[in-house]
Amino acid sequence: MKTFIPTVENSGREWVHVDAEGKTLGRLASAIADILRGKNKPTYTPHMDCGDFVIVTNADKIKVTGNKLKDKIYHWHSGYPGGHKQTNLEKLLNKHPERVLEKAVKGMLPHTKLGDALYRKLNVYTTADHPHAAQKPRTLELTAQGEMINGK
């Protein structure tokens, strides 16, 4: 018997829909990163992109615990002298709620070319509707602890 080596052709990619309403930011981002990498499949291979496409809706209704709304700071630099900028989680949630979840998931993916390819399979929307109905995504339910429960 030969060892099974997964390829892109036999990875069996699907589209998965996750509703973020009422979910905790970190636990949700961790579960999404696992789906993007394919860690929920028995054919998971660390050096390959064998994960699924993920659609996240209601990103503006995620919750955070503790004092993170005031204390969590996002930093970036414009590239010019004196161009260091920062904002807290509360302001970013009010202005661009989808970016909060995108940044959390991107930080949990590999920081390589593979991680960039995985990140491109993430689609985050602030409302309950999305333009990916033609892909027939299956709905995935997550528990309060971030564990996956297969849905419809």
Side-chain angles (χ1 to χ4, degrees):
M1 178 162 205
K2 291 190 174 192
T3 303
F4 174 73
I5 304 295
T7 60
V8 175
E9 291 81 28
N10 63 14
S11 65
R13 289 200 179 132
E14 296 180 330
W15 284 76
V16 178
H17 171 256
V18 177
D19 187 9
E21 185 173 0
K23 304 292 189 301
T24 307
L25 174 63
R27 293 178 188 273
L28 177 65
S30 178
I32 291 171
D34 284 350
I35 296 167
L36 288 171
R37 287 212 68 186
K39 285 190 168 188
N40 58 337
K41 296 181 177 183
T43 58
Y44 168 69
T45 307
H47 67 276
M48 284 186 53
D49 179 6
C50 54
D52 297 330
F53 291 87
V54 178
I55 304 163
V56 183
T57 55
N58 293 322
D60 57 342
K61 296 177 183 160
I62 59 173
K63 66 176 187 174
V64 292
T65 58
N67 296 326
K68 292 185 192 82
L69 284 176
K70 302 276 187 215
D71 295 345
K72 183 164 181 60
I73 305 292
Y74 292 95
H75 301 270
W76 68 96
H77 198 280
S78 67
Y80 290 96
H84 177 257
K85 304 198 186 273
Q86 61 187 18
T87 187
N88 65 5
L89 177 60
E90 186 176 29
K91 288 180 185 174
L92 193 60
L93 268 175
N94 289 334
K95 193 168 184 181
H96 300 287
E98 68 280 353
R99 289 187 193 169
V100 173
L101 187 60
E102 288 172 354
K103 285 177 177 284
V105 171
K106 188 169 177 89
M108 295 180 185
L109 293 174
H111 303 290
T112 60
K113 292 178 186 178
L114 174 62
D116 293 342
L118 296 172
Y119 179 70
R120 283 192 287 271
K121 297 189 307 182
L122 175 65
N123 302 286
V124 182
Y125 301 99
T126 55
T127 60
D129 52 334
H130 58 84
H132 303 287
Q135 281 74 28
K136 299 183 182 100
R138 67 180 171 97
T139 302
L140 191 70
E141 295 295 324
L142 299 175
T143 64
Q145 288 76 27
E147 298 164 354
M148 291 178 252
I149 301 172
N150 286 331
K152 304 171 203 163

